Amino acid sequence: MNKRNRILLLLVLVLLAGTFGGCGKKGGKDKDLPSSQGFTKDVLMRIDGKEVSYAEANIYLLSMREEVETLYGKDIWEFRFTRDGRNYSELMKDELLERIIYIKLVGSMANEFDVALGADDVLNVNDYTSNFLNHITEETAKRYGITEELVRSIYSDNILAKKVYETVTLNVDARPDENATRRSDFYYLFKTKVYKDNEGNPVTVSGEGLQELRGDMRILLENALRAEDFYKFAKDKTDAPSVEMTIGRDSFPREITDALFALPEGALSNIVETNDGLYIFYCKNKINAAETQKAEEEEYARICKEYFDELYDKWRANAKVDINNALWNAM
């Protein structure tokens, strides 16, 4: 999973609810925290000289835990994903580290891009901070060293990083390829090449059976050309659960979409054969405006993210990150 894919959400902390437990080292007092040489006990890391406290990292850790358990359940932590036997909790710590580094580094570029929190941002920070503090117990706050000032600082950092991203990508000079983002509407008739045998295993038609299927499809095409209503004809003959499809450039191999996009509205395609079956398409609408616009926006967002990722990778490569390993290993 791309570690930055979810970082630009406004803040996953707003998902937190209820009482937390089981994350981080119990106690939360300085005297209980181990430390590496050169660090005070409550400093977990330094990013270009800026300190990140143990309490701050635990707030991120708590939010990530809530996020993960909501998606995958509480049994996910000991599941081993990698060949070296690392479990999900260990992988999450890697993501935690990169998430915090990202927020701090991107936020540190605010002055360079003339970015600051506005009045609305401050109001949002206040609301999010109140919401967070209202959903944790005093015991949890004391255990992890969570204070109003710290929560407010974390929300501010995240919103600032988001604003830096938006500012940097605001005027990215990129125009999505209209052929790549075009979406067209079709009716279609489908005959499958895959069926299940008596034991439920998938079997693909081949040999004489495939030749017979192709012959049947040619007859269907001839009848389709004479049909007054292709939609009704296809619905009666198809093997698919639907006879409507919105097609984009990546829906089929390029040579197929090129041929389909060349069809005028109201025209039928020739027989189109793929690994799963045979199709006849009817061009209902050459341009689905809403879906095309959505695809353009998604493609532009992808281009912007790619641009920003390249920029961030340079910042990350030049960043000096020092970790209090004794405390990090104890989390």
Side-chain angles (χ1 to χ4, degrees), residues 109-137:
M109 304 304 294
N111 288 337
E112 180 172 333
F113 294 101
D114 196 25
V115 175
L117 297 184
D120 288 343
D121 298 320
V122 174
L123 289 175
N124 286 332
V125 168
N126 292 338
D127 288 344
Y128 296 149
T129 300
S130 296
N131 181 68
F132 177 82
L133 294 174
N134 288 336
H135 287 84
I136 65 171
T137 64

Side-chain angles (χ1 to χ4, degrees), residues 220-322:
L220 285 173
L221 177 58
E222 291 173 2
N223 292 334
L225 289 167
R226 292 193 293 268
E228 293 184 3
D229 188 331
F230 179 80
Y231 177 88
K232 290 182 179 179
F233 178 80
K235 198 169 183 179
D236 183 55
K237 303 294 184 181
T238 189
D239 290 339
S242 172
V243 295
E244 297 184 68
M245 184 186 302
T246 298
I247 290 177
R249 178 62 72 189
D250 58 352
S251 299
F252 293 96
R254 182 64 179 263
E255 62 273 14
I256 293 177
T257 53
D258 279 348
L260 294 179
F261 284 169
L263 287 174
E265 289 185 5
L268 284 178
S269 71
N270 290 318
I271 296 169
V272 174
E273 184 169 345
T274 65
N275 291 333
D276 61 337
L278 294 91
Y279 298 79
I280 299 170
F281 290 96
Y282 172 94
C283 182
K284 174 188 175 185
N285 185 7
K286 283 185 70 68
I287 301 292
N288 180 319
E291 289 299 317
T292 297
Q293 181 178 348
K294 180 181 176 181
E296 288 173 351
E297 292 170 354
E298 291 174 350
E299 177 63 9
Y300 183 73
R302 186 197 66 78
I303 293 170
C304 288
K305 182 181 180 303
E306 187 176 83
Y307 172 83
F308 190 86
D309 283 353
E310 290 180 4
L311 192 61
Y312 174 77
D313 287 342
K314 295 177 182 176
W315 300 342
R316 180 67 177 89
N318 294 323
K320 180 175 174 53
V321 179
D322 299 309

Side-chain angles (χ1 to χ4, degrees), residues 145-277:
I146 297 172
T147 64
E148 180 178 344
E149 181 182 2
L150 180 57
V151 175
R152 192 180 305 278
S153 173
I154 290 174
Y155 276 112
S156 297
D157 285 348
N158 277 261
I159 292 176
L160 188 63
K162 182 175 183 288
K163 291 191 70 170
V164 170
Y165 178 91
E166 291 172 344
T167 299
V168 171
T169 59
L170 181 62
N171 296 312
V172 170
D173 186 16
R175 188 177 184 85
D177 181 358
E178 62 181 27
N179 287 324
T181 57
R182 174 181 168 182
R183 299 293 184 267
S184 302
D185 297 325
F186 292 84
Y187 296 139
Y188 72 103
L189 190 161
F190 173 74
K191 286 297 181 182
T192 185
K193 291 163 69 174
V194 183
Y195 67 93
K196 291 185 178 181
D197 62 18
N198 293 334
E199 296 180 356
N201 300 313
V203 178
T204 301
V205 176
S206 60
E208 292 183 3
L210 180 57
Q211 294 304 320
E212 182 178 346
L213 178 61
R214 289 168 175 164
D216 292 343
M217 200 66 171
R218 285 192 290 271
I219 294 173
L220 285 173
L221 177 58
E222 291 173 2
N223 292 334
L225 289 167
R226 292 193 293 268
E228 293 184 3
D229 188 331
F230 179 80
Y231 177 88
K232 290 182 179 179
F233 178 80
K235 198 169 183 179
D236 183 55
K237 303 294 184 181
T238 189
D239 290 339
S242 172
V243 295
E244 297 184 68
M245 184 186 302
T246 298
I247 290 177
R249 178 62 72 189
D250 58 352
S251 299
F252 293 96
R254 182 64 179 263
E255 62 273 14
I256 293 177
T257 53
D258 279 348
L260 294 179
F261 284 169
L263 287 174
E265 289 185 5
L268 284 178
S269 71
N270 290 318
I271 296 169
V272 174
E273 184 169 345
T274 65
N275 291 333
D276 61 337

Side-chain angles (χ1 to χ4, degrees), residues 11-73:
L11 249 185
V12 295
L13 295 180
V14 296
L15 299 175
L16 293 174
T19 301
F20 298 110
C23 274
K25 186 176 177 65
K26 293 184 178 181
K29 298 180 180 179
D30 285 359
K31 66 180 182 180
D32 298 323
L33 300 177
S35 184
S36 300
Q37 185 175 2
F39 288 90
T40 56
K41 289 184 177 180
D42 63 338
V43 174
L44 183 66
M45 66 183 80
R46 297 190 191 96
I47 303 168
D48 283 342
K50 186 172 184 178
E51 293 183 344
V52 177
S53 70
Y54 173 76
E56 180 175 355
N58 263 306
I59 292 177
Y60 278 98
L61 188 63
L62 286 167
S63 72
M64 291 173 67
R65 190 194 76 173
E66 181 77 2
E67 184 182 3
V68 169
E69 289 185 356
T70 298
L71 290 172
Y72 306 114

